[in-house]
Amino acid sequence: MQLSLRYLSSRSDEWKALVQKLDNLLCNTNERKVKVCCARETVPKKTVPGEQCDICTDYPRKCVFDFKLEMLKSDADGRRADGRLRSVLAYNGTIPGPPIVICEGDELVVNFKNKITGKMTNMDGSSSVTTLHFHGIREKTRPWSDGVPFVSQCPITPEGQSHPKNHNPFPFPYGFNTDVDGAPAGTYWYHSHVGAQRTNGAYGALIIKEKGTSIIKKNIIDDASNTLVLQEWYESSTNQVPVSLLVNGNGRIGELINTGDDEQITAHLKGKGACFNLTENKHFHPDNFTTNYTEFHVKPGYQYRFRVIGAISQNLPLRLSIENHTFTAIAMDSRNIQPVTNLTDLWLAAGERYDILVNTTEEYDQSGMAYKIKVIGYTDQPDNHCPLCTIAWLKYPKQYINYTHVTDSACTGFHLPSPLRTLNPVPNKYTAWKNRIKYPHWKYPSTIGGIFIADLREPKSKSKSTITNLANTQYIEFDGNITFNGLRMSYPPVPFLLQDPADKPDRCGSECNGQPPSTKCTTKNPATCAANEYCNCQHVVKEPWAPVKVPWARDWWVEIVLVNNNEGAAAHPIHQHGGWYWVVGEGQFGCNINSKFIRQQDKINNIPRNFDNPPAKDTIQVPPRGYVIVRTKLDNAGTWIFHCHINYHVTIGMAMVLQIGELKHQDWSTGPLTRNVNVPCETPPPPPGGGPTTIYWFYGMENAERCVTPG
């Protein structure tokens, strides 16, 4: 069979389609150890340095990168950030880390080493262990490569501190195969999944380029270097006052700089918003800048594809606009959408990505200054007070760049005049939701207003019967304690993925078994939950795996209704690992709500769902006093974290694990990692409440104690 498949895979497109069907049958058997995993895996791939993979070829390649994460100072080109000297974490010495650019059909291997030396104190007290996560990649045959500590692996200790209990190979071979691991062409990114490390610079762009044209026409310039990675930057690794914005790691601060006290910082981290105090910036030297704003060079009369990545850390959504230009959105979170034209601006929250097309004009001032790409956010949400802003340059031939320019603290010139046509506005204003442009009215380019995610559509038809084959519905409510259903996530000493058999005594949540429509779910919560405002436990929602080889199970879906119950709460950006969910519903009310209210409204058909080409995402903001309904296909066996992407929120436990299938049935692969329920990781998991043997400190945590040996 292996030889036959290898032969067929080199034949015509019709044969290749047949090979794909056979691949699916082979790759999704219960015996995940089957030697012939995928026909295309048998085709030899040329191993090349990853830096050479940005140009696509007509043959498949294995693109190999060597990465190391180090603690450094912002004292060298490539990591100067906003020009101030502070401690940073950097992949291969740069912020962002080196861009990973590969093509459809390629396999990615990142040989990763933890080279953090000494102790870097982060805001959350996290240690010097680390992991690497490819944000948006399904990892369909490699759930062990998802990079989440205590969920898919033990954290990686610094080089030279290897220990058998880590269960990890060295260097760690992170990666995926674009053909079989659910990684179509699109815009992704990578980052550490430990503590506040990505806040301090541990992130970078990941681009998978299309080999064909698809919706990208030949007259469109699609250069992966036209990528904007947006992040807010903090005073230091221990002082979480946001002081600047970075585009591709570059920014500046003017004469005034934000400072703040503990109360302001705590309000900012909790997502409630805060205005900080402006004081003199002692680092401001207008005649001696050490940094420049990022530049993009364009020619008139073309369409340019720009990729925008929200590598945002806390609750600070950012708005992008381009001086004297409108643009068209063609993709979000790596998935194509029906194009949204004539946009004036675009908002991104933590973890979101958008691909846009910019038409360059023939009528520009050839002797004038380059246009500004303007990025702004507000530390006081939802009233849009207390701005932070920055720019990048969009330069046409013969235009000049003002290298002395610096944005001021009032963000002068960043106000957008009406009328506006805005994509993905922060959903924290009920009036904006009521007055939004609904589908299909936004298809008219002259229609003005806000366009929300639920009103977008995918270009390809998804069968209603497919997405409506429902296994069960889960309701997840957020509350003021920054939890899911009053449960604050704690982690096991042995990662969920590696537990053989599963270690369940400390688990809470739901366990669902059986085939739809006969799936039965039971709920388990610790007895202490009833007496407390919230409780710490290993929050797992277990769902049946729908292997492709079983015809009646191919289209099993789980529905998750996310309920954000209070006015003034953050519009939590909820991210799912292991694949996309399809957004079939979204709504907002003018009063406080809860899960009970949404269930009651659902019973009387007041909670509508859309099954007509609903959009797919892996990160979405859930409106305060509102809800979002998502459906996830149960075809990717593994343990996948589902969490708020506000860094402080996931750190203190606003997360759960979506478990699909079970290891005991060989439903998923553990790759090179060691399975064992009795051997914990060398580094213990950080409990949200602190203690008992290790205290990971964060703002607002409960009092914690630990005993130490004298001397």
Side-chain angles (χ1 to χ4, degrees), residues 440-451:
H441 301 293
W442 57 255
K443 289 195 170 191
Y444 301 99
S446 60
T447 310
I448 301 304
I451 304 169

Side-chain angles (χ1 to χ4, degrees), residues 462-470 554-557 633:
K462 182 169 287 296
S463 169
K464 292 184 180 181
S465 61
T466 295
I467 202 168
T468 55
N469 191 8
L470 198 60
R554 291 178 183 173
D555 298 323
W556 291 357
W557 298 74
K633 198 170 185 179

Side-chain angles (χ1 to χ4, degrees), residues 380-639:
D380 186 13
Q381 290 281 342
D383 296 323
N384 288 354
H385 293 156
C386 307
L388 278 177
C389 56
T390 192
I391 66 164
W393 295 105
L394 186 73
K395 183 180 181 298
Y396 284 75
K398 299 183 180 180
Q399 287 187 324
Y400 71 91
I401 288 176
N402 179 6
Y403 287 105
T404 66
H405 178 82
V406 60
T407 56
D408 61 41
S409 58
C411 296
T412 304
F414 278 72
H415 175 72
L416 293 180
S418 297
L420 297 179
R421 185 170 159 88
T422 304
L423 180 59
N424 192 36
V426 182
N428 54 15
K429 297 180 178 66
Y430 179 55
T431 54
W433 168 258
K434 286 196 305 180
N435 297 324
R436 72 190 188 280
I437 314 175
K438 299 180 182 179
Y439 179 84
H441 301 293
W442 57 255
K443 289 195 170 191
Y444 301 99
S446 60
T447 310
I448 301 304
I451 304 169
F452 288 75
I453 300 302
D455 288 302
L456 299 178
R457 296 292 183 268
E458 283 208 325
K460 295 182 179 180
S461 176
K462 182 169 287 296
S463 169
K464 292 184 180 181
S465 61
T466 295
I467 202 168
T468 55
N469 191 8
L470 198 60
N472 56 85
T473 296
Q474 302 286 331
Y475 289 84
I476 305 296
E477 182 177 345
F478 317 155
D479 59 28
N481 291 314
I482 313 178
T483 65
F484 288 161
N485 289 345
L487 306 175
R488 182 164 285 178
M489 184 70 178
S490 62
Y491 297 89
V494 175
F496 289 108
L497 190 80
L498 306 182
Q499 293 180 7
D500 188 13
D503 187 15
K504 297 184 178 181
D506 295 322
R507 291 192 182 185
C508 57
S510 300
E511 182 167 336
C512 303
N513 296 291
Q515 300 175 5
S518 302
T519 304
K520 301 296 182 183
C521 299
T522 57
T523 300
K524 174 190 173 184
N525 288 327
T528 55
C529 287
N532 298 328
E533 292 184 11
Y534 66 87
C535 60
N536 302 327
C537 58
Q538 297 170 19
H539 190 179
V540 178
V541 173
K542 178 184 172 295
E543 295 288 344
W545 175 49
V548 174
K549 77 167 193 125
V550 182
W552 61 85
R554 291 178 183 173
D555 298 323
W556 291 357
W557 298 74
V558 60
E559 179 178 84
I560 302 178
V561 182
L562 303 167
V563 182
N564 192 358
N565 61 7
N566 289 322
E567 182 182 23
H572 298 278
I574 302 301
H575 174 51
Q576 176 181 280
H577 288 222
W580 301 275
Y581 41 62
W582 275 256
V583 182
V584 299
E586 180 180 7
Q588 197 169 13
F589 297 87
C591 58
N592 288 343
I593 61 171
N594 55 30
S595 179
K596 181 180 179 180
F597 171 80
I598 295 298
R599 289 172 188 254
Q600 291 172 341
Q601 293 296 305
D602 211 358
K603 287 182 179 180
I604 58 176
N605 298 319
N606 282 345
I607 305 295
R609 289 163 174 79
N610 165 57
F611 301 116
D612 178 20
N613 303 325
K617 282 191 114 287
D618 59 47
T619 309
I620 190 169
Q621 299 176 85
V622 182
R625 291 178 161 183
Y627 66 89
V628 167
I629 305 174
V630 299
R631 292 197 174 187
T632 298
K633 198 170 185 179
L634 297 175
D635 64 342
N636 193 9
T639 55

